[in-house]
């Protein structure tokens, strides 16, 4: 009767549950009938349940807690030698900590170490995948590990002052002192970390290297890449921004057309929100007016915002900023090295504002004010209607981490290189 009751329960479960769970429930259901006999009164063998669980997780990785991702086999590695490590090496997140000691040491400049997929004893393969769909990058930016870096890319790898004139950059020759500057990498048990694309993780700041090492050392039983924002920024700079800076530049420039701090509340409709916007945004607007040589377009009220952001005859969408503002913003973005450009892109995506990112890049606004400027409307709604746990608190935390990590990323490079 007990086995029959279990059979009825599993049959009902198959009727109402999704397909991925059916194979799991069917395996347990059938095992109850094929294990009857002298062991029928005993508990179900754990090995059968474990086998069913492995079958479920391998066939339906999106239903598991630790998704199994495609493994890119290294050159010279046979199928038999890698089969035992597929589950361990293929996880994007949740991989067990495999190291004991974390350190920092000097490494060669990125253009001197052309990475390959051959992993030696002195390097450790990054446990973070470059792209979950088998591509080199989940964002669409693709790089090559076999081609040599061009002179222009080499210049972008060298840190320099932000807002340097692009014409001066193109004519300035790379000095021997800049080429021989110190680069630092992070080691796990004495082996240097590589980026997801296979490049040696080399940053032009010892302070930044120790900060990244602290992120790795803070990982406990399982690796959580989401808890390593500085490591993410460094890998993004080396793997994506250095390979296709023009793509990152255009993505950052697109935020100007729909810049968050250019949409103001109507003071006649909501004077409290308008006052908060003035407190958080007015200083940024004043600075950007000097930086961009003109005032940016501003929409006041919802109706004006919709009218000004409509599709125009030239098929452009967004606020009608003066051409001089757009040209100056493009010039500034194109003058940035990959480190400042990566930080700029991160702040833009977190605040949805290019003006906020430019003010942060110039140290005109402190990090707390940057976070406040990015969250004026949401914090206003929280003060009126209360905070939704699991929603607003996570958004507030993620915004703070993204802004502060980008600030630390830029500041450490500037301090160590006297910029």
């Amino acid at each position: 009767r007990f086995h029959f009751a279990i059979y009825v329960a599993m049959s009902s479960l198959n009727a109402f549950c999704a397909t991925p769970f059916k194979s799991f429930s069917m395996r347990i259901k059938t095992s109850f009938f094929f294990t009857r006999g002298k062991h029928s009164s005993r508990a179900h063998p754990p090995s059968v349940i474990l086998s069913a669980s492995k079958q479920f997780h391998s066939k339906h990785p999106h239903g598991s807690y630790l998704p199994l991702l495609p493994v890119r086999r290294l050159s010279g590695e046979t199928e038999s030698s890698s089969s035992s490590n597929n589950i361990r090496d293929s996880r994007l997140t949740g991989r067990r900590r495999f190291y004991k000691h974390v350190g920092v040491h000097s490494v060669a400049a990125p253009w001197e170490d052309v990475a390959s997929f051959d992993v030696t004893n002195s390097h450790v393969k990054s446990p973070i995948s470059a792209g979950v769909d088998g591509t080199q990058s989940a964002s669409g930016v693709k790089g090559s590990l076999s081609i040599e870096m061009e002179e222009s890319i080499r210049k972008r790898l060298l840190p320099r002052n932000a807002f340097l004139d692009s014409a001066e950059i193109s004519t300035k020759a790379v000095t021997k002192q800049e080429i021989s500057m110190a680069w630092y990498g992070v080691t796990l048990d004495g082996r240097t970390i590589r980026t997801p694309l296979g490049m040696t993780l080399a940053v032009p700041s010892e302070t930044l290297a120790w900060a990244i090492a602290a992120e790795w050392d803070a990982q406990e039983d399982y690796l959580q890449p989401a808890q390593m924002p500085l490591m993410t920024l460094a890998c993004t700079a080396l793997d994506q921004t250095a390979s296709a800076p023009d793509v990152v530049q255009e993505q950052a420039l697109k935020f100007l057309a729909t810049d968050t701090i250019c949409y103001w509340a109507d003071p006649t409709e909501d004077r409290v929100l308008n006052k908060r916007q003035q407190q958080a945004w007015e200083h940024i607007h004043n600075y950007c007016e000097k930086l961009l040589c003109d005032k940016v377009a501003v929409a006041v009220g919802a109706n004006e915002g919709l009218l000004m952001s409509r599709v125009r005859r030239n098929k452009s969408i967004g606020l009608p900023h003066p051409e001089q503002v757009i040209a100056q913003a493009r010039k500034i973005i194109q003058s940035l090295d990959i480190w400042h450009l990566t930080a700029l892109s991160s702040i833009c995506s977190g605040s949805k504002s290019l003006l906020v990112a430019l003010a942060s890049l110039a140290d005109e606004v402190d990090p707390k004010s940057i976070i406040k400027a990015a969250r004026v409307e949401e914090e206003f709604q929280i003060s009126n209607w209360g905070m939704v746990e699991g929603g607003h608190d996570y958004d507030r935390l993620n915004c703070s981490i993204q802004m502060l990590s980008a600030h630390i990323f830029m500041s450490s490079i500037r301090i160590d290189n006297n910029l």
Side-chain angles (χ1 to χ4, degrees), residues 42-244:
R42 297 182 181 180
H44 190 68
S47 58
V48 178
I49 299 179
L50 181 61
S51 175
S53 178
K54 288 182 178 179
Q55 180 185 13
F56 168 71
H57 285 281
S58 62
K59 288 186 176 181
H60 309 286
H62 297 289
S64 62
Y65 290 100
L66 302 176
L68 305 181
L69 304 175
V71 179
R72 178 170 52 189
R73 191 169 295 114
L74 305 178
S75 59
E77 185 179 13
T78 60
E79 183 176 0
S80 59
S81 63
S82 63
S83 59
S84 60
N85 297 326
N86 280 350
I87 295 179
R88 181 191 66 188
D89 292 335
S90 60
R91 290 171 181 167
L92 178 63
T93 184
R95 178 179 175 182
R96 281 189 176 275
R97 175 167 172 161
F98 56 91
Y99 54 91
K100 294 183 179 179
H101 305 288
V102 183
V104 172
H105 73 148
S106 298
V107 295
W111 56 82
E112 295 178 4
D113 181 58
V114 181
S116 64
F117 289 115
D118 296 328
V119 178
T120 62
N121 293 330
S122 61
H123 290 80
V124 56
K125 179 186 175 184
S126 173
I128 306 173
S129 172
V132 297
D133 55 354
T135 61
Q136 292 182 335
S137 168
S139 62
V141 178
K142 298 182 180 180
S144 175
L145 299 176
S146 58
I147 61 172
E148 297 182 357
M149 292 185 177
E150 299 178 358
E151 183 68 18
S152 60
I153 302 299
R154 181 184 300 185
K155 288 181 179 180
R156 292 191 177 278
L157 284 169
L158 295 172
R160 59 177 176 269
N161 288 315
F163 309 136
L164 192 63
D165 189 83
S166 57
E168 184 180 350
I169 297 172
S170 60
T171 57
K172 181 182 177 182
V174 179
T175 63
K176 292 182 179 180
Q177 183 179 0
E178 290 175 328
I179 295 178
S180 60
M181 66 180 299
W183 294 80
Y184 299 91
V186 180
T187 60
L188 304 179
D189 293 335
R191 296 189 298 168
T192 307
I193 297 177
R194 288 185 181 272
T195 66
L197 284 188
M199 294 183 64
T200 299
L201 182 66
V203 294
S205 168
E206 187 176 7
T207 303
L208 178 59
W210 280 111
I212 296 174
E215 290 181 342
W216 282 95
D217 195 44
Q219 305 298 307
E220 297 180 352
D221 295 333
Y222 294 93
L223 300 183
Q224 299 294 336
Q227 298 176 0
M228 296 188 282
L230 295 177
M231 173 68 181
T232 301
L233 288 172
C235 290
T236 302
L238 293 170
D239 280 354
Q240 299 188 26
T241 312
S243 300

